[in-house]
Amino acid sequence: AFSRIHPHYPAQNCRETVMQPVETWRETLINDFEESVFALHPEIGDIKQRLYDMGATYAAMSSSGSALFGLFKERPDSLSQAFPHMFTFCSSL
């Protein structure tokens, strides 16, 4: 993952971005690892898209890819059924 990353410099500092509404993060808070990891493992990109399809306000790959997460306004229905062969965890912030 590290050898394939091409860092991008965001127009806005991450600290400033996370102070904005979560609904804006999808277009502005980007993990630079995702592009190269999703190219090699498209199923990981598919999981991220499925989180959005389930209603996530924001979804991303954590760090260099050990996990994906989604932020939801309401607890998603049947998360474990949507990802039956994967570890899932749901909590409130």
Side-chain angles (χ1 to χ4, degrees):
F2 287 91
S3 67
R4 296 177 172 271
I5 190 171
H6 300 286
H8 300 92
Y9 293 96
Q12 185 174 342
N13 180 300
C14 289
R15 288 182 191 164
E16 295 171 12
T17 299
V18 298
M19 298 303 289
Q20 303 302 314
V22 174
E23 293 81 8
T24 67
W25 294 4
R26 186 174 185 170
E27 301 302 322
T28 57
L29 190 59
I30 310 296
N31 179 343
D32 287 337
F33 279 103
E34 288 183 359
E35 183 179 352
S36 61
V37 170
F38 293 175
L40 288 174
H41 304 283
E43 64 275 15
I44 298 173
D46 292 343
I47 293 168
K48 178 180 175 180
Q49 184 57 53
R50 286 176 60 200
L51 290 169
Y52 277 122
D53 293 345
M54 294 177 71
T57 303
Y58 178 71
M61 188 174 78
S62 68
S63 189
S64 58
S66 61
L68 284 122
F69 66 92
L71 301 178
F72 294 82
K73 288 185 178 189
E74 295 182 17
R75 190 177 195 90
D77 292 332
S78 58
L79 187 64
S80 60
Q81 289 177 332
F83 304 101
H85 303 294
M86 299 172 196
F87 171 77
T88 59
F89 176 77
C90 193
S91 180
S92 297
L93 297 175

